[in-house]
Amino acid sequence: MRHGRNERVEAPYARLETLRPGIGRLLARNPSPYTYTGTQTYLLGDAAEVVVVDPGPALEAHVEAILAAIGRRAVRAIACTHTHRDHSPASRPLKAATGAPIIGCAPLCLDDDGPRADASFDADYAPDRVLGDGDALVVDGHEMVAVATPGHTSNHLCFAYRGGLMTGDHVMGWSTSVIVPPDGDMGAYLRSLDKLRGREEDEVYYPAHGPEIDRPHRLVRHLIGHRLSREKQIYKAVAAGADDVPGIVAACYPGLDERLVAAAGGTVRAHLIELARRGSVEEVEGRWIARQQEDPA
């Protein structure tokens, strides 16, 4: 977890960046310890038409920047990877301005164990079409394909287009993803990472936060290893006597920025739930105990 790093980053707000043929990027001005420099909106397509991916928060200046970047091109659709409030709310003013349908992830609204910058889901998200795994939309002569990647949220999708994969919050270029129950699921997240590891057609990842990832399969392998290492660390902390989430966070995240303690607690709980599914730990009257002497597989 590298959230909250204190470093100077040049943030090109409201400026369209061309990343590769048919893929452009716009940055919303919503920086935070959880969004890095802000949410990145992607425009897929060239001269004739575009799809807007992850329109972001409903900030007037960001919506205006997206519309300016679209110019005279037709908007084929507005696609959302998931419904945290830093990703989907701008879909509505964009639809009102362009008439384009909202597509992508399924609607989902519930409370979780936050808090974080995107702690609550977008309750007003209303897609015109929900995309399932492998569903495709032709954009300017090329297919945009939905790739189901539950874990960060149960409704999370990535979008593949012309060798690039828009990864939303599933894989990011600056930090590990926060997995917060009850909707965030560590087992599902690991299975989704393994799914991406097997997708050889993805040449580069374009996340919603942080820089592009030009060696994506190497990073995915690293993320899987990191999560499995963290799982063993959490199990060892429980076996050593840390029996609640705050105690486990203190043992496993020494020196953590106070602003990130709650999010770390959510991720620890997601690991504990996954360990409990496999019988490695058990929650008894609100306290966690280890059920086996060996490290979990």
Side-chain angles (χ1 to χ4, degrees):
M1 179 179 290
R2 302 198 306 274
H3 306 78
R5 290 182 299 174
N6 293 319
E7 59 182 32
R8 292 182 63 84
V9 177
E10 292 298 324
Y13 295 115
R15 187 174 79 234
L16 180 65
E17 300 176 279
T18 300
L19 305 175
R20 61 163 43 198
I23 301 180
R25 179 174 64 196
L26 279 163
L27 177 63
R29 193 180 290 273
N30 61 325
S32 81
Y34 297 95
T35 61
Y36 197 43
T37 54
T39 302
Q40 293 173 149
T41 296
Y42 291 91
L43 301 187
L44 309 184
D46 286 316
E49 61 181 1
V50 297
V51 165
V52 180
V53 174
D54 273 350
L59 301 175
E60 183 177 355
H62 185 55
V63 172
E64 290 176 354
I66 294 171
L67 291 171
I70 292 167
R72 296 181 178 275
R73 293 178 289 181
V75 181
R76 186 85 167 81
I78 303 158
C80 298
T81 61
H82 64 296
T83 49
H84 278 149
R85 290 188 302 177
D86 59 326
H87 286 260
S88 59
S91 62
R92 293 181 287 282
L94 279 177
K95 179 179 179 178
T98 66
I102 299 169
I103 68 171
C105 65
L108 175 66
C109 184
L110 47 82
D111 293 328
D112 62 22
D113 291 341
R116 56 182 187 267
D118 60 357
S120 62
F121 290 84
D122 177 7
D124 297 320
Y125 172 74
D128 298 288
R129 178 187 172 193
V130 172
L131 298 181
D133 188 44
D135 285 348
L137 181 74
V138 176
V139 185
D140 214 15
H142 301 269
E143 280 194 334
M144 182 191 80
V145 181
V147 182
T149 49
H152 175 66
T153 60
S154 62
N155 64 346
H156 197 286
L157 297 174
C158 296
F159 297 108
Y161 186 72
R162 299 180 71 172
L165 187 71
M166 308 329 113
T167 57
D169 283 359
H170 181 60
V171 176
M172 294 185 288
W174 73 287
S175 169
T176 54
S177 206
V178 176
I179 314 298
V180 179
D183 187 62
D185 186 299
M186 190 61 67
Y189 178 71
L190 285 166
R191 289 188 292 273
S192 293
L193 285 177
D194 193 58
K195 178 179 183 177
L196 293 195
R197 182 168 57 176
R199 286 179 51 86
E200 296 181 359
E201 61 267 45
D202 301 325
E203 301 167 4
V204 59
Y205 289 174
Y206 296 114
H209 310 284
E212 59 264 30
I213 300 154
D214 58 10
R215 301 182 71 177
H217 299 93
R218 178 182 180 181
L219 178 61
V220 168
R221 290 193 298 270
H222 167 76
L223 290 175
I224 292 171
H226 169 75
R227 290 297 186 181
L228 295 178
S229 176
R230 180 71 76 189
E231 179 182 272
K232 289 183 178 181
Q233 186 183 20
I234 289 168
Y235 175 80
K236 288 180 178 179
V238 175
D243 62 1
D244 62 6
V245 169
I248 298 167
V249 169
C252 297
Y253 296 87
L256 181 65
D257 186 328
E258 284 295 323
R259 295 173 297 175
L260 308 174
V261 168
T267 294
V268 164
R269 185 164 182 82
H271 274 295
L272 289 168
I273 291 169
E274 179 61 20
L275 285 166
R277 285 175 184 158
R278 303 203 307 266
S280 298
V281 302
E282 181 181 11
E283 188 177 18
V284 179
E285 296 181 351
R287 299 292 174 177
W288 291 94
I289 59 173
R291 291 295 302 273
Q292 59 186 41
Q293 296 301 314
E294 301 296 324
D295 287 349

